[in-house]
Amino acid sequence: MKTTGPPQIRVEEVSLAFPDGTHALDDVSVTVSAGEMVALVGPSGCGKSTLLRLVAGFEKAGMGAVTTSHHALGYVFQDATLLPWRSVLHNVELPGQLTGVPKASRRESARAAIDRVGLGGFERHRPAQLSGGMRMRVSIARALTLQPKLFLFDEPFGALDEITRERLNEDLNALFEAEPFAGLFVTHSVTEAVFMATRVIVMSARPGRILADIPVPFDYPREPGLRYTQEFAEVAATVSKTLREACEVAA
Ligand SMILES: Nc1ncnc2c1ncn2[C@@H]1O[C@H](COP(=O)(O)OP(=O)(O)OP(=O)(O)O)[C@@H](O)[C@H]1O
């Protein structure tokens, strides 16, 4: 198991209300260090995406402070957000192209990232020729070319079938193990949260507050069969119970 490094993301006592008065977050504090993958779960609309957007700098906190290390940031959304007219290779090259990386060098890192997500051989395919899971892999490869030390995932596998999602969880765990970034991962799946995360944060209904911060005590690599063990079931039950309480208050 890797040791955790210095904090990469610090959210301190943050509250946020949108201009229309929607109170999205209330007194939220989260620290994520290198080597931590923190899953965020909570009732729909509790402010999980808003919290990610704050960390990315797309929103400003009304109160409190958000600080991140000055490293490149990877952001992966539920939609793969690929350009349909571009090949896999050209989609993955895009961040390098936009930031002025010379062609040979950006092509080399794009090819390496495509290999790392298991899509070697599909460089010339267009997004429409790929499955949903493959498109998501392209999206992750594109983020990997930035060599992010901070990685934000906004429910990236929510639209995929169960088995594809499990495979992507396993592959993302392997990427995390190989290069322990600081990760914040929004999901509605308790199994996915516990399988992937080093900690699971459970948020309350809006305005989102932190109800629990539950450590996940499993080493990496995490074998697929971990999901069927008693220890896994116990951690998942703790998360589910807290989440259920949060949702019952919301209902
Ligand atoms: N720009 C905005 N202006 C006003 N309200 C907003 C804005 N963006 C989000 N909201 C509201 O803020 C609350 C939190 O939204 P957010 O998308 O962060 O929730 P979430 O927990 O990610 O939801 P879900 O799990 O359904 O994806 C919601 O009530 C949402 O409608």
Side-chain angles (χ1 to χ4, degrees), residues 13-59:
E13 300 174 1
V14 157
S15 296
L16 183 146
F18 288 106
D20 69 356
T22 305
H23 189 183
L25 295 170
D26 184 34
D27 196 18
V28 169
S29 296
V30 183
T31 300
V32 187
S33 297
E36 287 193 301
M37 175 74 102
V38 176
L40 280 177
V41 300
S44 187
C46 74
K48 302 180 289 299
S49 299
T50 303
L51 183 52
L52 255 55
R53 291 173 58 76
L54 265 168
V55 171
F58 300 154
E59 302 283 355

Side-chain angles (χ1 to χ4, degrees), residues 152-200:
L152 307 178
F153 300 93
D154 198 348
E155 232 197 309
F157 310 136
L160 303 176
D161 69 85
E162 183 82 5
I163 300 300
T164 306
R165 180 179 192 150
E166 287 188 357
R167 292 230 171 90
L168 280 157
N169 290 167
E170 289 150 22
D171 292 348
L172 192 50
N173 274 2
L175 290 173
F176 174 64
E177 197 193 357
E179 253 167 75
F181 46 79
L184 253 184
F185 192 103
V186 170
T187 178
H188 282 285
S189 160
V190 171
T191 302
E192 179 169 80
V194 176
F195 188 72
M196 298 197 54
T198 54
R199 284 154 50 205
V200 180

Side-chain angles (χ1 to χ4, degrees), residues 21-236:
T22 305
H23 189 183
L25 295 170
D26 184 34
D27 196 18
V28 169
S29 296
V30 183
T31 300
V32 187
S33 297
E36 287 193 301
M37 175 74 102
V38 176
L40 280 177
V41 300
S44 187
C46 74
K48 302 180 289 299
S49 299
T50 303
L51 183 52
L52 255 55
R53 291 173 58 76
L54 265 168
V55 171
F58 300 154
E59 302 283 355
K60 287 274 167 277
M63 284 168 66
V66 178
T67 38
T68 60
S69 59
H70 296 285
H71 292 297
L73 176 104
Y75 205 148
V76 179
F77 305 89
Q78 179 165 8
D79 190 289
T81 60
L82 304 177
L83 299 176
W85 60 89
R86 282 192 154 215
S87 66
V88 166
L89 182 63
H90 288 156
N91 266 288
V92 174
E93 264 186 59
L94 189 62
Q97 193 178 347
L98 292 175
T99 51
V101 177
K103 190 166 176 178
S105 154
R106 71 177 192 245
R107 192 142 288 184
E108 190 186 324
S109 45
R111 285 192 192 280
I114 289 167
D115 281 344
R116 284 179 69 195
V117 300
L119 282 182
F122 290 90
E123 290 83 352
R124 303 176 82 87
H125 283 58
R126 310 252 164 207
Q129 297 171 289
L130 304 177
S131 68
M134 290 162 94
R135 284 200 284 273
M136 221 54 228
R137 287 177 189 275
V138 178
S139 177
I140 292 170
R142 185 181 51 196
L144 282 172
T145 61
L146 298 166
Q147 299 183 300
K149 296 278 186 280
L150 320 180
F151 231 129
L152 307 178
F153 300 93
D154 198 348
E155 232 197 309
F157 310 136
L160 303 176
D161 69 85
E162 183 82 5
I163 300 300
T164 306
R165 180 179 192 150
E166 287 188 357
R167 292 230 171 90
L168 280 157
N169 290 167
E170 289 150 22
D171 292 348
L172 192 50
N173 274 2
L175 290 173
F176 174 64
E177 197 193 357
E179 253 167 75
F181 46 79
L184 253 184
F185 192 103
V186 170
T187 178
H188 282 285
S189 160
V190 171
T191 302
E192 179 169 80
V194 176
F195 188 72
M196 298 197 54
T198 54
R199 284 154 50 205
V200 180
I201 288 180
V202 183
M203 291 177 66
S204 72
R206 185 165 62 79
R209 284 175 295 107
I210 292 180
L211 288 182
D213 190 337
I214 298 163
V216 180
F218 308 123
D219 284 347
Y220 296 80
R222 294 181 176 178
E223 298 301 325
L226 172 67
R227 299 183 181 93
Y228 313 117
T229 63
Q230 181 64 31
E231 294 81 359
F232 188 94
E234 282 167 14
V235 180

Side-chain angles (χ1 to χ4, degrees), residues 190-191 202 214 235-246:
V190 171
T191 302
V202 183
I214 298 163
V235 180
T238 305
V239 174
S240 291
K241 197 164 167 282
T242 314
L243 186 56
R244 209 183 161 85
E245 284 162 12

